[in-house]
C-alpha cells in the first residue's frame, strides 16, 4: 500500500508540475531579491521550464495565413512586430529569441523591435527574454548600422590582442545599447583546413596558441561590458571540408589531434570565465563513435556533436569542467534537418545535456505556432518515460536563470522606448568606434609579396588608368565608392567577372589601356583543385570562372609588364593559387555596401595600402599552401614599407 501511495503521489506531483500557475512578478522579485534560482524553478510548470530552454528566431512572418494554410518559404522580414508575432511570444514562455540582420537593418527600428518583443513576452511571462545575435565582426555581423570591424583573422594579423579586446568591447557595448544581451562570439575554431568553406577568415588563425590568446582577450572584453560572450563551435569546426549549413561534416581527427589543435581555445575561453558555449553540427567519431540510421535519409551516420551526450556532457562538462550555459548552433541547419526530424532532434539534444535549443523548429506564420507545442510535448514524454531526468531539466533551467540573474536579465527594463532609441543612436557607430575600426583594419592589411619595380605603393599620376577586376558584381559599387572617398585623382574602372564570364578581347583591351591593375580574387567556398599544368579541374562553374579569369588577367598583365596586384579579398589562401603574382595583398574579408555603409572596412584599407595612403603592417595568421600542399608562405609572413 505504501508503494502504491508513493507512486500515486509521484504521478500527482508530476501532473501538478505541468499545471502550476504562471510565475508572477511579485514571486520573481522576491526570488531575485534573495538570489535564489531554486525559488524560481520551484514556481515554474514543466512546460514553462522546457520553453525557457527554447530560443526561436522571428526573421520573417507571413500575416493572415488561415488555419491549415501554407506559409511562404520567404515571408516578409520582421522589422516591426505584428499581432500574430505578439500572440506567438505571449503563448510560450520562451527563454529568449535570436535576431538577424533582417531584423536589425536600422538601429532605431531594431531597438523598438527588441522592446516590443520583451513587452509581448512580459504579458504572460515575468521572466524577460534573453535576446541574442551573431555580431562576430567581419564576415558575420547583424547590427546593420553598427561598427563592423575587420573580423577575427584580420585582428589576429595585426598581432595585437589589444585590438581584439577593443573591437570586442565596442561590439558588445553596441549590442547592449540595442537591448541585445548575448553576443554569439567569438568564433574560436582553429582553421587548420584551408578548404574550410564555413569558418575561414572567421577564425583567428591556424595556430592554437594564437587563437587561444585572442579568444581570451575577446571573451573578457565582451563580458566586461555586461554582455554574454558565447564561444563557438564546440568541439571545433576548423578542420571541416564541408559546411554544416548545407551538410553534416565528418572530422576524422584523432582524440590526441583534437586535444592539440581544437581544444586549447575552448580551454582558454573557460579559463577566461566564458558564460556560454555553442555546439557544432559535425560528426566526430573519435570523440563519440555512436552510429545510427538517419530517419530522414536512411544512411548510417555518427551522432552529431550537438546531439552527443559524450561530447556535450561527459567531455565539455565532465572533463573540461564547464559550468555555464550550452546552446546549439541553429537547429534549422542542414547538418541536422537533413538527417533528423526537428522534434526528435530537440529531444535528442536535451537528452545529451545541452541547455538551449537555438531555432528549434520553424515558425513563420500563425498556423505553425503550435509546432512549438509538439516539441514541448515530446520532451515531456521523454521525461515521463525516464529518457530525460527531471533533475537534469531543473539543473539546466537553473543554469539559464543564473546567467540571466548574473547579467540583470530577470527584471524587465521599463525605460521608455524613445529614451532607449536615443541612447542607442548615441552609442552606436560613433566617431571613436569608427576610428578604432579603421586603425585595426589598416594595420591588418598584409603584404605577402611585393615586386620591387611594379609593386605597391602604386606610382600614379593624373594620367594613370587603374583597372580593377572583381569576382563579385555587388562589390563594384564598393570599389567605386572607395576610390571616390580616397579622392583618386586618376582614371579608374571597376569590372566584374561574376557569372562564368570568359576572358576575351574586351578584357584584353582594358589591360592594354591600363597603367595599373588590381585583381580582386575570391575563389569562394570550395577551394579549387589544380592540375599539374596549373589549370583548374573542371568542377563547380563558380570555382571555374573565379580561378580561370584572374589567371588570364594575371598572365596578360605579366606579359605586358604592367604593375599588377593580386588582392585576396576573403581568405588569404587564394594567393597560393597564383604564386607568380608579382605583388600579393591579403585583407581577410569583404562585403558589399549595405544600407549605404561598407559592410566591412577591409577593402578600403586594402586599396589605401595599394595607393600608398596607408602602410601594410599585418602578418599572416595562417600558413599558405601551394596547389600541391607544400607551404608557400609561413605563418608570420608580412612585408612592411
Amino acid at each position: 500500500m505504501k508503494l502504491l501511495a508513493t507512486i500515486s503521489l509521484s504521478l500527482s506531483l508530476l501532473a501538478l508540475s505541468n499545471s502550476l500557475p504562471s510565475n508572477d512578478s511579485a514571486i520573481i522579485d522576491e526570488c531575485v531579491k534573495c538570489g535564489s534560482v531554486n525559488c524560481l524553478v520551484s514556481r515554474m510548470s514543466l512546460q514553462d521550464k522546457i520553453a525557457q530552454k527554447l530560443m526561436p528566431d522571428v526573421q520573417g512572418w507571413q500575416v493572415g495565413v488561415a488555419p491549415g494554410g501554407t506559409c511562404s518559404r520567404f515571408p516578409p522580414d520582421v522589422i516591426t512586430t505584428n499581432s500574430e508575432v505578439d500572440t506567438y511570444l505571449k503563448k510560450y514562455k520562451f527563454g529568449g529569441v535570436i535576431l538577424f540582420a533582417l531584423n536589425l537593418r536600422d538601429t532605431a527600428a531594431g531597438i523598438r523591435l527588441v522592446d516590443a518583443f520583451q513587452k509581448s513576452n512580459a504579458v504572460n511571462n515575468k521572466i524577460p527574454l534573453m535576446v541574442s545575435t551573431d555580431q562576430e565582426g567581419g564576415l558575420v555581423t547583424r547590427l546593420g548600422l553598427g561598427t563592423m570591424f575587420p573580423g577575427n583573422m584580420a585582428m589576429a594579423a595585426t598581432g595585437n590582442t589589444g585590438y581584439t579586446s577593443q573591437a570586442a568591447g565596442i561590439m558588445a557595448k553596441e549590442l547592449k545599447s540595442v537591448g541585445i544581451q548575448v553576443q554569439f562570439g567569438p568564433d574560436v575554431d582553429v582553421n587548420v583546413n584551408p578548404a574550410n568553406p564555413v569558418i575561414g577568415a572567421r577564425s583567428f588563425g591556424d595556430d592554437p596558441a594564437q587563437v587561444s590568446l585572442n579568444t581570451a582577450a575577446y571573451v573578457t572584453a565582451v563580458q566586461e561590458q555586461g554582455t554574454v560572450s558565447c564561444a563557438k563551435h564546440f568541439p571545433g569546426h576548423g578542420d571541416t571540408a564541408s559546411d554544416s549549413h548545407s551538410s553534416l561534416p565528418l572530422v576524422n581527427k584523432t582524440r590526441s589531434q583534437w586535444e592539440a589543435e581544437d581544444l586549447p581555445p575552448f580551454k582558454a575561453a573557460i579559463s577566461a570565465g566564458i558564460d556560454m558555449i555553442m555546439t557544432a553540427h559535425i560528426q566526430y567519431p573519435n570523440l563519440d563513435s555512436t552510429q545510427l540510421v538517419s530517419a530522414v535519409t536512411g544512411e548510417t551516420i555518427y551522432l552529431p556533436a550537438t546531439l552527443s551526450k559524450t561530447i556535450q556532457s561527459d567531455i565539455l562538462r565532465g572533463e573540461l569542467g564547464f559550468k555555464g550555459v550550452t546552446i546549439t548552433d541553429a537547429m534549422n541547419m542542414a547538418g541536422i534537418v537533413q538527417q533528423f526530424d526537428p522534434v526528435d532532434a530537440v529531444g535528442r539534444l536535451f537528452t545529451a545535456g545541452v541547455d538551449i535549443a537555438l531555432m528549434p523548429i520553424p515558425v513563420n506564420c500563425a498556423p505553425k505556432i503550435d509546432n512549438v507545442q509538439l516539441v514541448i510535448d515530446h520532451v515531456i514524454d521523454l521525461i515521463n518515460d525516464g529518457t530525460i531526468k527531471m533533475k537534469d531539466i531543473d539543473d539546466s533551467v537553473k543554469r539559464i536563470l543564473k546567467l540571466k540573474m548574473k547579467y540583470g536579465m530577470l527584471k524587465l527594463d521599463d525605460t521608455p522606448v524613445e529614451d532607449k532609441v536615443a541612447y542607442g543612436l548615441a552609442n552606436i557607430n560613433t566617431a571613436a568606434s569608427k576610428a578604432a575600426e579603421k586603425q585595426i583594419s589598416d594595420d591588418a592589411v598584409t603584404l605577402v609579396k611585393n615586386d620591387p619595380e611594379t609593386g605597391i605603393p602604386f606610382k600614379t599620376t593624373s594620367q594613370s588608368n587603374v583597372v580593377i577586376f572583381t569576382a563579385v558584381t555587388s562589390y563594384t559599387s564598393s570599389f567605386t565608392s572607395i576610390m571616390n572617398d580616397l579622392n583618386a585623382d586618376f582614371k579608374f574602372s571597376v569590372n566584374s567577372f561574376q557569372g562564368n564570364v570568359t576572358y576575351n578581347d574586351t578584357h584584353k583591351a582594358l589591360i592594354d589601356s591600363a597603367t595599373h591593375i588590381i585583381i580582386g580574387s575570391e575563389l569562394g567556398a570550395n577551394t579549387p583543385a589544380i592540375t599539374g599544368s596549373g589549370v583548374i579541374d573542371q568542377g563547380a562553374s563558380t570555382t571555374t570562372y573565379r580561378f580561370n579569369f584572374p589567371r588570364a588577367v594575371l598572365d596578360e598583365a605579366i606579359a605586358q609588364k604592367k604593375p599588377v596586384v593580386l588582392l585576396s579579398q576573403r581568405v588569404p589562401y587564394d594567393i597560393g593559387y597564383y604564386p607568380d603574382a608579382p605583388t600579393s595583398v591579403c585583407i581577410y574579408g569583404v562585403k558589399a555596401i549595405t544600407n549605404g555603409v561598407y559592410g566591412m572596412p577591409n577593402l578600403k584599407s586594402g586599396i589605401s595600402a595599394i595607393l600608398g595612403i596607408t602602410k601594410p603592417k599585418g602578418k599572416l595568421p595562417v600558413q599558405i599552401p601551394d596547389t600541391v600542399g607544400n607551404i608557400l608562405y609561413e605563418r608570420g609572413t608580412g612585408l612592411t614599407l
Side-chain angles (χ1 to χ4, degrees), residues 235-515:
H237 212 311
D239 197 16
T240 57
S242 60
D243 183 351
S244 52
H245 291 85
S246 55
S247 65
L248 180 59
L250 173 67
V251 178
N252 268 318
K253 193 174 293 185
T254 66
R255 168 79 189 227
S256 61
Q257 287 174 320
W258 170 73
E259 289 176 349
E261 293 179 348
D262 298 280
L263 180 57
F266 288 102
K267 282 187 170 181
I270 293 170
S271 294
I274 190 83
D275 282 306
M276 185 179 286
I277 291 178
M278 180 179 285
T279 72
H281 303 325
I282 56 175
Q283 301 171 87
Y284 223 122
N286 287 314
L287 296 184
D288 187 348
S289 60
T290 303
Q291 289 184 297
L292 52 81
V293 177
S294 167
V296 178
T297 65
E299 63 182 306
T300 300
I301 61 172
Y302 292 100
L303 191 64
T306 292
L307 311 182
S308 165
K309 187 171 185 177
T310 298
I311 293 173
Q312 301 303 331
S313 293
D314 298 344
I315 295 176
L316 181 55
R317 294 205 184 279
E319 295 180 24
L320 301 182
F322 180 61
K323 300 185 185 306
V325 170
T326 54
I327 187 168
T328 69
D329 206 344
M331 294 299 289
N332 68 340
M333 291 164 59
I336 294 296
V337 298
Q338 284 183 355
Q339 304 293 347
F340 297 89
D341 170 78
V343 173
D344 174 56
V346 175
R348 288 177 180 272
L349 75 90
F350 287 160
T351 302
V354 181
D355 291 319
I356 299 175
L358 182 63
M359 300 166 63
I361 197 161
V363 178
N364 57 18
C365 67
K368 289 190 175 182
I369 290 176
D370 288 339
N371 285 354
V372 175
Q373 194 62 51
L374 298 177
V375 170
I376 292 173
D377 289 345
H378 177 60
V379 176
I380 290 174
D381 288 342
L382 293 176
I383 294 169
N384 287 340
D385 70 15
T387 301
I388 300 176
K389 296 178 181 177
M390 192 65 232
K391 181 181 184 303
D392 291 340
I393 293 291
D394 285 347
D395 288 346
S396 176
V397 176
K398 287 174 186 177
R399 283 191 291 270
I400 295 167
L401 295 178
K402 283 180 181 178
L403 181 62
K404 288 188 173 185
M405 184 176 288
K406 177 178 178 179
Y407 286 89
M409 294 184 226
L410 289 180
K411 182 173 177 59
L412 186 66
D413 181 359
D414 57 4
T415 303
V417 67
E418 293 309 314
D419 290 351
K420 293 180 181 178
V421 169
Y423 179 81
L425 293 175
N427 285 277
I428 291 175
N429 214 10
T430 64
S433 68
K434 293 302 290 182
E437 178 190 58
K438 179 183 184 303
Q439 186 66 62
I440 297 170
S441 182
D442 286 349
D443 286 0
V445 175
T446 305
L447 178 59
V448 178
K449 183 181 179 183
N450 198 31
D451 187 277
E453 299 296 327
T454 63
I456 71 169
F458 278 169
K459 300 174 181 65
T460 60
T461 70
S462 59
Q463 303 304 308
S464 297
N465 178 28
V466 177
V467 176
I468 302 169
F469 295 95
T470 180
V472 182
T473 301
S474 60
Y475 296 165
T476 57
S477 60
S478 297
F479 273 104
T480 300
S481 295
I482 287 167
M483 297 296 276
N484 290 331
D485 287 351
L486 296 176
N487 298 313
D489 60 354
F490 47 77
K491 179 182 176 182
F492 68 88
S493 65
V494 185
N495 310 273
S496 168
F497 54 89
Q498 184 171 2
N500 231 2
V501 173
T502 302
Y503 178 80
N504 56 43
D505 289 343
T506 300
H507 304 119
K508 183 179 183 304
L510 287 169
I511 297 171
D512 292 342
S513 69
T515 59

